[in-house]
Amino acid sequence: MSLGSTDKRILDLLQRDARMTNQTLADETGISPSPCWRKVRKLEEDGVIQGYRAVLDRKKIGLGVMVFVRVTIDSHSEADARKFEQEVSDLSNVVACYSIGGDADFLLQVVAADLDAYADFAMTVIRRLPGIKEMQSMFVLKEIKALAAWPVEK
C-alpha cells in the first residue's frame, strides 16, 4: 500500500494524540475537515490504523517489573510452534511475543507487579508452556525509550 504525504502526516499526528479532533487534524495537515475524515476512515478500513487506545504508565498501575524472556522450544514443527504461540497469546502478563532468529525461538515481553510475582509467573506459567526447552530472563533495569509511535517517514 502506498501512503501519500498527507496520510503519513495524519498517522504521525494520530500516534501522538489519537484524541485530536478532526478539525485540528485537518488544520495540522493543511486540508479541509471532510477530506481529512475520509482519509482517516480509509486508513482505518485498510487496516493501517488498527485501533485507538490510552497509553498507561505501567508502574502507576502496579506493574513495576518488566522482563524480556528468550525462549527455545523443543520441536520446530509448525503445529508445535502454533500451539506455543496460541498459549502465549492468551497470557495477559505477556504483553508482546516475537518469533526470532538466532539462538532462541521466541522473545517474550512480560510485566509483573514485582520480582516475586514474576518468579511465580515464570515458574508456574512460562516454564509449563508446551515444548519449552530453555528460557532466559533479562530484567529491565531502566526504561530509556519505550515504543511511543512507529516512525512514519514524511
Side-chain angles (χ1 to χ4, degrees), residues 26-63:
D27 291 345
E28 291 284 328
T29 56
I31 60 176
S32 62
S34 292
C36 183
W37 181 83
R38 284 193 298 273
K39 283 186 172 289
V40 171
R41 288 288 295 157
K42 176 117 174 70
L43 290 166
E44 292 170 347
E45 289 167 1
D46 290 345
V48 176
I49 297 175
Q50 296 181 339
Y52 300 89
R53 63 183 59 100
V55 178
L56 308 179
D57 182 322
R58 71 175 168 83
K59 292 178 183 174
K60 289 183 180 177
I61 61 168
L63 299 171

Side-chain angles (χ1 to χ4, degrees), residues 67 69 91 108 110 112 115-129 132 134-137 139:
V67 184
V69 184
L91 301 174
L108 312 180
V110 179
L115 287 174
D116 289 337
Y118 172 72
D120 183 52
F121 180 75
M123 300 317 278
T124 62
V125 179
I126 297 176
R127 279 268 183 222
R128 294 191 175 145
L129 288 171
I132 292 275
E134 182 181 325
M135 65 179 267
Q136 178 187 15
S137 299
F139 295 89

Side-chain angles (χ1 to χ4, degrees), residues 3 5 19-20 24-25 34 38 50 60 67 69 84 97 101 110-111 126 133 150 152:
L3 298 172
S5 60
R19 294 183 69 179
M20 181 180 293
T24 303
L25 188 60
S34 292
R38 284 193 298 273
Q50 296 181 339
K60 289 183 180 177
V67 184
V69 184
F84 177 85
C97 175
V110 179
V111 292
I126 297 176
K133 178 179 178 182
W150 297 110
V152 181

Side-chain angles (χ1 to χ4, degrees), residues 76-147:
H76 292 90
S77 74
E78 186 173 335
D80 289 338
R82 284 193 197 277
K83 182 166 176 53
F84 177 85
E85 291 168 11
Q86 182 58 52
E87 297 240 358
V88 166
S89 295
D90 293 338
L91 301 174
S92 61
N93 286 67
V94 177
V95 296
C97 175
Y98 305 95
S99 174
I100 59 173
D103 59 351
D105 299 308
F106 296 94
L107 181 65
L108 312 180
Q109 185 177 5
V110 179
V111 292
D114 53 35
L115 287 174
D116 289 337
Y118 172 72
D120 183 52
F121 180 75
M123 300 317 278
T124 62
V125 179
I126 297 176
R127 279 268 183 222
R128 294 191 175 145
L129 288 171
I132 292 275
K133 178 179 178 182
E134 182 181 325
M135 65 179 267
Q136 178 187 15
S137 299
M138 296 169 285
F139 295 89
V140 173
L141 301 176
K142 181 179 179 183
E143 198 168 347
I144 298 165
K145 182 179 179 182
L147 174 65

